[in-house]
Amino acid sequence: MGRDSDLGRVVITGLGAVSCLGLGSDIQFQKASLCNSGITSFSNSFSIPVNLSCAGLVPADITNYFDSSTLGMYDRVAHISWVAAKEALEHSGLKDLGVEKLNRSGIFWGTGFGGANTVENAYDTIYIHGKDRVRPFTVIGVMANGATALISLNTAFKGPSITYSTACASSAHAIGEAYRSIKHGYCDRAIAGGAESLLTAASIKSWEALKTLAIPDSENIAHSCKPFSKNRSGFVLGEGAAAIILESLSSAKKRGAIILAEIIGYGATSDSLHITKPDPLGQSKAMQLAIKDAGLSAEKVVYINAHGTATQAGDIAETISIKNTFGLDQAKKLAISSTKAVHGHTLGAAGALELLITIQAMQNNIAPGTAFLEINDPECDLNYLPLRSIEIPIPYAMSNSFAFGGSNVSLLLARDVN
């Protein structure tokens, strides 16, 4: 991109993730680029009946990452958070930081529902099993910053430790605010991302009531999430976590780190219109702010990892917002896809997981396709890469996260750092 100074520039040096696609950051892109779904049948039993046929469940056993005390004290959302953060740290090569560097190292983490499993266990203990006390460390499991605290304890990072909860935009906000913190000199490096694990009876019943969940595909349940397709019926709940190591460019250069990409733009807005109905204007403003922050011509953006939840209203709103941002001619030229078709909607983890896949797309010059988009919707008439990925140079890419409550985030990346 060519800048006169390293000052204020923020790069990415490590990735870590776990989702229904598997354990590790590499498998996320491998499966996404092949349009291979990790969504499976859901048959977990609860103390009350639920109506959920499919979900994106983490298939790996992660218990060997923790001692019995940590397993018992923290919620599953914290456990998968640390699995992702640990991989990202190892990938980045960050280790043996002295006190001064630890003081300049932050944690910015997102989650929509926090310790949902612990909350449910507590209510089951009291109301189903009739006991008069819950586990001693229930508060630690419940608190939304439990994951952030576990990461801090395991890394000794002593800079800002902040938890963001803005529904589906939580981890995108966390990454954007980490970027700003480094850009403006408040810290030199950060673990940023988010996690969600909310496949509990109460949560599932809540989503049932909202009527936004996908109708299971009768031929192949793995194909139930169909973003931008005419026959889309809603999203599939998924659990997962993704972590990204952000550093100042000077810090990364000084230690000879491998730089994966640069964050060059961040836009955040609020619709202030409706609690669940998306507003194309608010979404467009977030994208415009990210482009302005980057000082980039909109025509240079090649790929967008869309929010693309597969809801009727959401996919149409995003289509309109992209047209509003780029203009119709440029919007038609963009490669756009939603990877939620294969990993489900991971809510508080979605922004981080999808940004991670976008970074890998840039590195591999492959824009992942939108799986199961077999029937074109005339109202979603952009190039959503139906059914297959394409090989294309991606020097600049955007990732969108739009949430209930009207929170919108766009993050803009550059592949080459010079």
Side-chain angles (χ1 to χ4, degrees), residues 305-354:
N305 188 302
H307 187 58
T309 59
T311 62
Q312 286 294 325
D315 289 3
I316 293 171
E318 189 164 9
T319 301
I320 294 169
S321 70
I322 292 170
K323 291 177 182 177
N324 289 345
T325 303
F326 292 91
L328 183 59
D329 290 344
Q330 177 62 19
K332 293 280 189 180
K333 296 175 184 177
L334 290 164
I336 311 167
S337 65
S338 171
T339 55
K340 286 184 176 72
V342 296
H343 55 65
H345 195 345
T346 55
L347 303 169
L353 180 59
E354 290 155 26

Side-chain angles (χ1 to χ4, degrees), residues 214-256:
I215 298 170
D217 187 291
S218 59
E219 296 183 4
N220 189 334
I221 203 159
H223 297 186
S224 296
C225 186
K226 308 175 193 295
F228 302 109
S229 182
K230 180 68 174 175
N231 62 337
R232 66 189 182 277
S233 60
F235 57 80
V236 172
L237 290 173
E239 64 173 353
I244 294 172
I245 304 300
L246 278 63
E247 286 187 72
S248 67
L249 179 56
S250 58
S251 170
K253 281 184 173 180
K254 189 177 294 184
R255 68 183 187 87

Side-chain angles (χ1 to χ4, degrees), residues 6-262:
D6 292 352
L7 188 65
R9 297 178 65 183
V10 182
V11 296
I12 294 163
T13 57
L15 304 175
V18 58
S19 78
C20 67
L21 298 177
L23 179 62
S25 58
D26 288 346
I27 197 69
Q28 311 303 318
F29 178 72
Q30 290 170 13
K31 292 286 185 71
S33 63
L34 294 171
C35 293
N36 285 350
S37 174
I39 293 166
T40 58
S41 299
F42 184 80
S43 57
N44 292 16
S45 60
F46 299 105
S47 55
I48 60 173
V50 300
N51 181 25
L52 187 71
S53 299
C54 57
L57 296 161
V58 171
D61 180 5
I62 60 169
T63 56
N64 62 328
Y65 280 75
F66 307 99
D67 57 30
S68 58
S69 175
T70 304
L71 282 172
M73 187 179 299
Y74 293 89
D75 192 88
R76 179 171 171 81
V77 74
H79 298 151
I80 61 175
S81 294
W82 173 241
V83 171
K86 183 174 186 293
E87 182 195 2
L89 280 168
E90 292 172 351
H91 186 206
S92 73
L94 275 174
K95 58 182 179 180
D96 302 325
L97 299 176
V99 173
E100 184 178 347
K101 289 183 178 179
L102 289 171
N103 288 337
R104 300 277 300 169
S105 303
I107 302 164
F108 298 75
W109 206 249
T111 182
F113 287 75
N117 299 278
T118 304
V119 171
E120 178 129 323
N121 287 339
Y123 282 123
D124 275 359
T125 298
I126 295 169
Y127 294 110
I128 302 298
H129 301 294
K131 297 183 179 180
D132 60 2
R133 65 188 299 269
V134 296
R135 293 187 303 112
F137 295 113
T138 294
V139 168
I140 293 171
V142 168
M143 63 189 196
N145 68 324
T148 312
L150 180 60
I151 295 170
S152 175
L153 289 167
N154 284 343
T155 60
F157 278 19
K158 298 183 184 298
S161 175
I162 306 174
T163 302
Y164 298 84
S165 187
T166 50
C168 315
S170 299
S171 57
H173 269 128
I175 292 166
E177 295 303 319
Y179 154 77
R180 280 186 179 166
S181 187
I182 296 170
K183 179 178 181 178
H184 295 296
Y186 295 104
C187 54
D188 297 324
R189 65 199 59 80
I191 301 170
E196 205 75 82
S197 178
L198 77 167
L199 292 168
T200 65
S203 174
I204 292 166
K205 297 301 288 185
S206 300
W207 289 110
E208 281 179 28
L210 204 55
K211 299 186 184 301
T212 56
L213 298 181
I215 298 170
D217 187 291
S218 59
E219 296 183 4
N220 189 334
I221 203 159
H223 297 186
S224 296
C225 186
K226 308 175 193 295
F228 302 109
S229 182
K230 180 68 174 175
N231 62 337
R232 66 189 182 277
S233 60
F235 57 80
V236 172
L237 290 173
E239 64 173 353
I244 294 172
I245 304 300
L246 278 63
E247 286 187 72
S248 67
L249 179 56
S250 58
S251 170
K253 281 184 173 180
K254 189 177 294 184
R255 68 183 187 87
I258 296 173
I259 295 172
L260 307 175
E262 180 178 2

